[in-house]
Amino acid sequence: MKLELLRELSITNNTKILLLVIDGLGGLPNESGRSELEQAGIGHLDRLAQDSLCGLTVPVAFGVTPGSGPGHLGLFGYDPEQYTVGRGVLEALGIDFDLHSTDVAARGNFCTVDGDGLITDRRAGRIATARTVPLCEELARIKLPGVQVFVEPVRDHRFLLVLRGDGLSDRLTETDPQREGYRPLPVRATAPEAEATAKLLNDWIAQAQRVLSPYAPANMLTLRGLAKHPPMPSIAEICKFRAAAIAAYPMYRGLAKLVGMDVLPTGATFADELATLKQHWDSFDFFFIHFKRADAAGEDGDFQAKIAALEEIDTYIDQLHALQADVFIVAGDHSTPAIVAGHSWHPVPFMLHAKQFARADNAEGFNEKACARGSLGTFPAKEVLSLAMAHAGRLTKYGA
Amino acid sequence: MKLELLRELSITNNTKILLLVIDGLGGLPNESGRSELEQAGIGHLDRLAQDSLCGLTVPVAFGVTPGSGPGHLGLFGYDPEQYTVGRGVLEALGIDFDLHSTDVAARGNFCTVDGDGLITDRRAGRIATARTVPLCEELARIKLPGVQVFVEPVRDHRFLLVLRGDGLSDRLTETDPQREGYRPLPVRATAPEAEATAKLLNDWIAQAQRVLSPYAPANMLTLRGLAKHPPMPSIAEICKFRAAAIAAYPMYRGLAKLVGMDVLPTGATFADELATLKQHWDSFDFFFIHFKRADAAGEDGDFQAKIAALEEIDTYIDQLHALQADVFIVAGDHSTPAIVAGHSWHPVPFMLHAKQFARADNAEGFNEKACARGSLGTFPAKEVLSLAMAHAGRLTKYGA
């Protein structure tokens, strides 16, 4: 349902919802004919599926391969075609940068230019992060009139640029010409209110080029995904609950913060995350807890590592279940099949276990084929939140 | 996904997509309890289904029985509720009339009026085409100031009227009162910019009435579906591919042309169409090939003829498959169950076979029941193109 309707129908009570997101959960069969989930020993997930409502979620739309942003926003109830998060903002979230709603953020790439200013390497030979750090310190000394400028290293040749001040606009074009042999493009305003911001950025780029000139191969830079923190309604307000996010990786913490969740400090492993969850169990109504390893293994194209990651999260299912959430959901933000070695468009296994009023499907297990036969069918991820709220007794009747 | 997003995400590569549309594909059980597809000997389709992604397409919306226009537009990725093709335009496409984007086309019906001008037979006794041809020649002699007028026979009492000139508008009402005992209505403008066009048409109708007066029962006419060629974005531009249409029937060629496909000359049979496909295989990335007989048999209410038509197309499946398209889709524009003897609203069997990354459903066969259990579930036909593009590796990631 639309967020406006959810806001209208949501009511408070003392139930708890636990949303476990297994990043990159969905897969594809390898030559054996069975997928990662089908081959993994995941007895706890399989047993939970027998007593759950099952289906496959479509993260954005049929055929669309989502990035992490749209993949999570859908599960949080936001239509990912309506609510978009710019690359600059995601980059800021990814390093825990405290982005304000009026800041303009950009992803920066160091690059190499020749004597004529033409780009010869769009990634500056992928210089190491250790070399990017001092370059960012140099660039951070550049001053612009009336705005604060932040330059933060990210990884390899990538950095974050943030302008902070009044009246900035993100209706701006990127400077990366997307191929070598061309000059970086100027920033252009796509709306009149962005002219001043474009001028500031072009001034900054001109100064940056002078600063960088001795540092070949990183003697120039490009800016991409210039964006402001998008205006997002708060999930906590819409659902009238206290929402907490537990994620080891900064980007997922940032996404959760964007939609109005309280981000709980936690450690680097899922065991740390689980400890954080238990510690705060009494203080919140809704918990988003994130497991990253399955996606990382899929991205690496490592079928066995993905199986191992799924088997790892399976060992935590009983502890999660033992918390006795009124609604316990296991979902994925997108598929990352090892044979694709990247995100993909394939619908994602999903299950919802509820203490009461769940019409369980008696699924044969928790995998792509079994979930395809679930009664939820293949459905949009943005409906997950409504289903959770309903099964938690947190939605009132619609209409008389 | 929306066409704007598809345009944003589409990329080029050297993969091929083959879309076979079996017109009127879906059916219903007869007294035996099994549908046309279930009774037909279609071993090749059944085997292909085992190795494909299966589902049922909803051409327009639940419960909507589509005409040929909306049925095909959906499969071509256009939301048939948003993109509509007027009856006048479809009539023009159906006789291969070369309609310009500024023309206004109308479907004409000869009718019978009595001495008071009241309609006594809305179809002029369904006069034969042979009688309609000379009447159209007479009418074509009528001149209007500043515009060209075309009058073309279609079939029986039906003809096509086209006005060609500058500044014509199709914001116009129809003249058929829809029942006998009433006078034909005047054409009325529903927007100020159409006043001049309405006047031209009413002048033409007055002259036409004088011309027709000696030719009872065809002594008058009505005009319906006054429409211009709708503005359609080009599928070839949106998807960044070269798209070809192969169809023996003019209306399907016309629909394909409307959405920006190259229409290849071909013969009258499916064997001719297949030869055309093979001949042009290297020159295009996307092929739409059309099989008509299943629909015709369904329209006739001939259960056995529909089975025979399905068995005929089945004999071509191996040859189509042997072309090794990266994505091979078998779909229908709508259902035409023989027991309905017409188009119907029932979702239509669908399968997508891909060379890689297809999560095949191991369907038991290619029919309504087996496809209903496929992982695509019952889904909108307008999503077919996105799925095809994804499986052909022609879509980039959405969002960071």
Side-chain angles (χ1 to χ4, degrees), chain A residues 26-28 56 60-70 80-81 84 87 90 335 339-340 343 345-347 368-369 372 378, chain B residues 1-2 5 9 356-362 373-377 379-380 383 386-387 390-393 395-400:
Chain A
L28 283 172
L56 293 171
V60 178
F62 273 25
V64 175
T65 296
S68 298
E81 289 197 67
T84 55
R87 190 180 291 263
L90 271 186
S335 293
I339 66 164
V340 173
H343 295 192
W345 63 90
H346 300 86
E368 295 80 6
K369 283 179 196 148
T378 299
Chain B
M1 80 181 81
K2 296 206 167 68
L5 184 56
L9 299 184
Q356 62 172 3
F357 303 151
R359 200 187 265 165
D361 291 326
N362 297 308
R373 289 189 290 265
S375 64
L376 289 171
F379 72 102
E383 304 298 339
S386 310
L387 278 177
H391 285 89
L395 292 180
T396 187
K397 191 158 70 175
Y398 174 65

Side-chain angles (χ1 to χ4, degrees), chain B residues 92 97-105 144-150 161-168 197 200:
Chain B
F97 184 89
D98 183 28
L99 202 65
H100 296 192
S101 64
T102 52
D103 293 351
V104 169
L144 288 177
V147 294
Q148 268 185 286
V149 183
F150 302 87
L161 171 68
V162 173
L163 262 53
R164 177 167 298 167
D166 291 334
L168 297 174
T197 313
L200 284 169

Side-chain angles (χ1 to χ4, degrees), chain B residues 20-21 31 37 57 60 72 74 79 87 89-90 95 105 126 132 138 227 232 253 264 269 282 291 297 347-349 381:
Chain B
L20 165 64
V21 176
E31 62 285 349
L37 278 166
T57 56
V60 178
H72 278 80
D79 181 347
R87 188 180 294 261
V89 173
L90 270 185
I95 59 168
R126 288 192 188 273
T132 290
E138 290 260 15
M232 292 270 189
R253 290 200 294 268
L264 304 180
T269 68
D282 292 334
F291 178 75
V348 190

Side-chain angles (χ1 to χ4, degrees), chain B residues 333-363:
Chain B
D333 54 342
H334 51 73
S335 293
T336 309
I339 65 164
V340 173
H343 295 193
S344 80
W345 63 90
H346 302 86
V348 190
F350 172 90
M351 66 172 145
L352 182 153
H353 181 273
K355 269 195 194 164
Q356 62 172 3
F357 303 151
R359 200 187 265 165
D361 291 326
N362 297 308

Side-chain angles (χ1 to χ4, degrees), chain B residues 245-309:
Chain B
I246 307 171
Y249 278 63
M251 192 203 287
Y252 309 100
R253 290 200 294 268
L255 281 165
K257 196 176 140 200
L258 264 186
V259 300
M261 296 188 200
D262 285 6
V263 175
L264 304 180
T266 191
T269 68
F270 194 79
D272 295 331
E273 293 187 12
L274 180 59
T276 303
L277 177 67
K278 288 178 179 172
Q279 185 188 338
H280 293 270
W281 188 249
D282 292 334
S283 308
F284 293 90
D285 309 300
F286 174 95
F287 296 87
F288 151 54
I289 186 166
H290 184 257
F291 178 75
K292 176 70 181 169
R293 264 191 63 206
D295 178 60
E299 290 258 18
D300 291 343
D302 189 335
F303 205 95
Q304 293 308 320
K306 178 139 183 219
I307 290 176

